[in-house]
Amino acid sequence: MTWLALAYCSTATRPMSAVEIGQLLLKARLFNASVGVSGVLLHDSRQFLQYLEGPADAVDQVWQRVSASPLHQDLRVLMRETVSTRLFADWQMGCLVAPSSLLQRLANEQWRIALAVAERRQPSSAALALLRQFTADVQCNAQANAAHQ
């Protein structure tokens, strides 16, 4: 079976709180589960990178909802391709945030485990390269912010 994979980046229209991100994730997880889409959202409260995968019509439904959202702007599709294996089959919407609390650190550890599983599934995936780059950028920004505080 083949799946559609789509990755995009965007900028929040304003910084979002952890509560707002949590509400966004809850809605996304419920909708994604209902249409059979899995994926991951990476963010630092201002910049987003999201990777979606699933049946083509379902990914297109999610993309329509995402692109209509007033919560972000400057949406850019980074990749849209057919894949033979899902990278995040077990997640309706995983999440990685720049660590600033213990709870976020625990969520990030879950992300690291899921990323390792995805890398075993498709080690040369273009989507994984995008996700790794965003992760490195977020971690670099978090370290720079911590050094200035």
Side-chain angles (χ1 to χ4, degrees):
M1 180 170 215
T2 61
W3 310 100
L4 177 62
L6 182 139
Y8 74 89
C9 64
S10 65
T11 304
T13 53
R14 59 177 176 70
M16 296 178 69
S17 71
V19 170
E20 291 172 310
I21 296 290
Q23 292 169 342
L24 175 78
L25 284 169
L26 178 61
K27 290 176 186 174
R29 287 175 176 148
L30 291 172
F31 185 79
N32 292 358
S34 76
V35 296
V37 169
S38 55
V40 64
L41 174 68
L42 310 179
H43 73 90
D44 66 359
S45 82
R46 235 180 106 59
Q47 299 294 315
F48 294 90
L49 185 140
Q50 186 168 25
Y51 172 81
L52 303 166
E53 59 190 9
D57 60 335
V59 171
D60 287 337
Q61 281 183 310
V62 172
W63 174 245
Q64 287 173 357
R65 285 172 49 102
V66 165
S67 59
S69 172
L71 298 175
H72 58 166
Q73 59 194 9
D74 305 325
L75 281 78
R76 287 186 302 131
V77 173
L78 303 172
M79 65 159 280
R80 181 185 171 96
E81 63 186 37
T82 302
V83 296
S84 59
T85 305
R86 287 187 183 214
L87 295 174
F88 300 100
D90 303 324
W91 281 10
Q92 277 72 47
M93 186 48 53
C95 181
L96 175 70
V97 295
S100 63
S101 73
L102 178 58
L103 186 58
Q104 287 177 340
R105 286 187 181 109
L106 292 173
N108 289 354
E109 183 58 29
Q110 184 183 20
W111 158 253
R112 283 188 276 284
I113 292 166
L115 183 60
V117 170
E119 287 175 333
R120 284 193 298 276
R121 289 179 179 157
Q122 287 188 33
S124 61
S125 166
L128 279 177
L130 289 169
L131 295 170
R132 281 192 295 270
Q133 182 60 51
F134 186 88
T135 301
D137 292 347
V138 165
Q139 289 171 345
C140 182
N141 288 341
Q143 290 170 352
N145 288 339
H148 285 61
Q149 293 178 353

